[in-house]
Amino acid sequence: MKIIDLSGEYTEKMWYYGEPYTPYSVKDLACVDKNGYIAREYTLTAHTGTHIENSAHWSEDAQGISETPIEKFAGNARLLYLPFSESKEITVKRLKAAGADGLEKDEICIIRTNWDSFWNKKEYVSESPYITVPAAEYLVSKGIKLVGMDSPMIGDPNDGISSVGADLVLPDYKFSEAGIPIILGLVNLSSLPEKFFFTAFPLKLHNGEGSPCRATAITF
């Protein structure tokens, strides 16, 4: 058995979405010389680094992360390779060409674009690859239980980050309506075979609209 870490490292130089979110930061609270132990305060949002976005991110009436069945976050996964160098837009046509027709009910769909190479660059968020709304509807129709990408957003960053227009329809909405959580900010997907066992468990945050997570792939 081999366990492959698919989570980015949290550092104070890492990316974040900008306002109204806050950047990751660390503050010392206790040290060995003064207290006999080390304790630190970590400032982050549910949407910092490699994290889960769930339906409660988009609706006050949706199920929070602590209420989402834990089975959603582990299972058989299939990797689809859609390099951003070919196009940052992920369409139904490209998904099918990458093998999405083979997705089975309750499988986990993981999309590799190679965008994780931009993790520490300023354009990581603002120029990231994205899934179109029809492509999201297609993946929902396949009956998947979880979708993940190596980019910070599932939708077009030009549709808004600090705020989203009321007249817009986002791919996130399609997954949210179907109760399908999204994993964002994955890394190391180039290390994966086409099929593997995936895990990404959230913190048990009451009414949480998402959560940082430690994502892994297990191969045998």
Side-chain angles (χ1 to χ4, degrees):
M1 182 180 75
K2 182 179 181 181
I3 300 177
I4 302 168
D5 191 355
L6 306 181
S7 300
E9 184 178 24
Y10 285 62
T11 71
E12 292 183 304
K13 295 181 179 180
M14 69 180 288
W15 65 273
Y16 86 108
Y17 291 113
E19 294 183 353
Y21 298 92
T22 55
Y24 175 77
S25 63
V26 183
K27 182 174 75 173
D28 290 331
L29 300 178
C31 64
V32 172
D33 288 345
K34 182 179 179 180
N35 306 92
Y37 59 87
I38 295 170
R40 301 185 179 101
E41 176 183 278
Y42 299 88
T43 300
L44 68 163
T45 74
H47 307 277
T48 300
T50 306
H51 68 278
I52 298 166
E53 171 193 307
N54 72 317
S55 299
H57 188 42
W58 302 105
S59 170
E60 295 177 351
D61 299 322
Q63 188 179 61
I65 198 77
S66 64
E67 299 172 299
T68 304
I70 200 71
E71 293 81 9
K72 284 274 189 181
F73 304 107
N76 294 324
R78 185 182 299 263
L79 183 71
L80 304 180
Y81 183 35
L82 298 105
F84 76 85
S85 57
E86 294 181 6
S87 174
K88 289 183 180 178
E89 184 179 67
I90 296 174
T91 62
V92 175
K93 182 178 179 180
R94 292 189 70 209
L95 284 171
K96 289 184 175 182
D101 275 343
L103 285 165
E104 299 177 2
K105 181 175 170 54
D106 289 329
E107 257 191 332
I108 294 170
C109 175
I110 301 297
I111 298 173
R112 172 192 168 195
T113 70
N114 294 334
W115 194 247
D116 57 328
S117 61
F118 284 77
W119 179 273
N120 287 317
K121 298 182 179 180
K122 63 180 181 180
E123 59 265 46
Y124 179 75
V125 173
S126 62
E127 299 179 24
S128 59
Y130 60 92
I131 293 176
T132 65
V133 171
E137 291 173 333
Y138 165 74
L139 289 176
V140 168
S141 75
K142 299 298 293 182
I144 62 172
K145 68 175 182 178
L146 182 69
V147 62
M149 283 183 68
D150 56 1
S151 68
M153 301 181 69
I154 204 87
D156 188 342
N158 292 315
D159 283 340
I161 297 174
S162 62
S163 62
V164 178
D167 58 335
L168 288 175
V169 177
L170 305 181
D172 310 60
Y173 298 169
K174 302 302 178 180
F175 295 116
S176 175
E177 291 162 3
I180 299 172
I182 301 167
I183 309 287
L184 297 169
L186 293 168
V187 302
N188 297 332
L189 300 186
S190 61
S191 304
L192 301 181
E194 180 186 3
K195 295 183 179 181
F196 53 95
F197 192 85
F198 179 85
T199 69
F201 295 112
L203 300 176
K204 200 169 185 179
L205 302 173
H206 179 64
N207 289 334
E209 82 284 8
S211 172
C213 63
R214 189 68 177 264
T216 71
I218 301 173
T219 61
F220 298 90

